[in-house]
Amino acid sequence: MSSPVAGQAARSSVLPITRGRRRTTLRTADGVAIEAAYEPCVKGPSDLAIVVAHGFTGDLLKPHVRRAAGVFTQFGAVITFSFRGHGRSGGRSTVGDREVLDLAAAVEWARSLGCTRVVTVGFSMGGSVVLRHGALHGGRTEARPVAVVCVSAPARWYYRGTPSMRRLHWLITRRTGRVVGRHVLGTRIHHKDWDPVPLSPVESVPLLAPAPLLVVHGDRDPYFPLDHPRMLAAAAPGAELWIEPGMGHAEHAAGDELLARIGGWAASASASA
């Protein structure tokens, strides 16, 4: 989940138009328009694409998303996009439910550009989405990831055990909160409850096989304590778990060194997948 400060700075970053970069609007399976961008690997043509799934209140132009994309271009091509209800994408946020369709559209676009190895990297809400997407699309060649990375992701739904998550639930479930989301954070949140409740992240993890999984979490995460990443890793035999000392939550807290390690893992795991 992105912080209010970052949300207020949403338009402070731009995506330069340079050789090889592309901007487009994708159409999801349920008809939502999703803004997306492609950046080539800085080291030359690559069959690896890292698709970045941002956290709640983020979008592809947020500085922390652009920074992550810049590091990942050292390892492969990078696709960033704005989830529904975020940035210039259409629709309203369902906070991790129908967002799997947004990610599927981005993965399909990566494959249409010639990337045969697609790794999804999700932060916070995006972390839950990459897990559910991998579970639901593993058998669909055009939308399947060959490896999955979740950073600062929840293991289960409706968690309210920290002050940060209690504030988030107020934002999502209360009319006043959704008004704040729209006008302060630039995030348009759907007013309806989930029906049915989607597969939880921890229920999704066993269905990722044979795609390798990396779970990354900070030991100072103010949203989700360490039982969340440990539950996720335990649900997938062979998953790697990185507990990062001193790290907070999601994209904001992921330094360039950690992002580079994630990029290296993505390149290595996808090569052997």
Side-chain angles (χ1 to χ4, degrees):
M1 287 74 180
S2 300
S3 70
V5 173
Q8 292 164 358
R11 298 299 128 203
S12 66
S13 180
V14 296
L15 189 64
I17 302 300
T18 58
R19 184 179 179 87
R21 295 176 186 256
R22 305 187 189 189
R23 294 287 297 276
T24 193
T25 299
L26 306 174
R27 188 69 61 175
T28 67
D30 62 343
V32 177
I34 300 297
E35 64 169 346
Y38 166 89
E39 298 170 75
C41 179
V42 297
K43 297 179 180 179
S46 174
D47 65 346
L48 169 64
I50 298 175
V51 179
V52 179
H54 63 74
F56 185 61
T57 77
D59 66 55
L60 70 81
L61 289 181
K62 292 288 179 70
H64 53 281
V65 177
R66 299 267 42 86
R67 180 172 59 86
V71 174
F72 291 153
T73 58
Q74 300 292 323
F75 301 92
V78 175
I79 286 180
T80 50
F81 65 97
S82 298
F83 279 120
R84 61 186 62 205
H86 294 73
R88 297 185 177 93
S89 290
R92 295 183 182 182
S93 175
T94 62
V95 199
D97 182 10
R98 300 192 70 79
E99 281 75 8
V100 294
L101 302 178
D102 309 344
L103 179 56
V107 171
E108 289 174 1
W109 187 41
R111 291 192 179 279
S112 76
L113 295 174
C115 299
T116 56
R117 295 185 293 145
V118 180
V119 178
T120 54
V121 179
F123 296 87
S124 192
M125 180 190 78
S128 70
V129 173
V130 298
L131 296 175
R132 293 188 56 243
H133 166 266
L136 296 172
H137 292 82
R140 294 182 53 202
T141 302
E142 71 276 13
R144 71 176 180 88
V146 298
V148 177
V149 182
C150 67
V151 183
S152 304
R156 54 194 184 274
W157 301 137
Y158 304 114
Y159 177 72
R160 292 178 170 85
T162 58
S164 295
M165 285 306 295
R166 289 192 286 274
R167 288 192 294 269
L168 180 66
H169 277 88
W170 173 84
L171 186 75
I172 295 167
T173 61
R174 301 298 181 88
R175 183 178 183 277
T176 302
R178 292 191 293 271
V179 170
V180 171
R182 173 184 287 271
H183 295 290
V184 178
L185 304 179
T187 302
R188 305 172 305 281
I189 306 166
H190 207 291
H191 68 281
K192 292 185 177 180
D193 293 336
W194 288 337
D195 184 19
V197 175
L199 195 70
S200 74
V202 74
E203 291 171 326
S204 302
V205 165
L207 304 178
L208 293 176
L213 171 64
L214 171 62
V215 179
V216 182
H217 211 91
D219 67 358
R220 295 187 181 179
D221 192 308
Y223 287 86
F224 306 113
L226 292 178
D227 61 313
H228 286 260
R230 288 168 178 157
M231 285 178 63
L232 293 173
E240 289 192 45
L241 173 61
W242 297 355
I243 301 297
E244 297 297 311
M247 178 184 168
H249 187 69
E251 304 100 317
H252 295 282
D256 288 0
E257 184 275 336
L258 172 59
L259 294 169
R261 280 194 281 127
I262 291 172
W265 184 93
S268 176
S270 63
S272 58

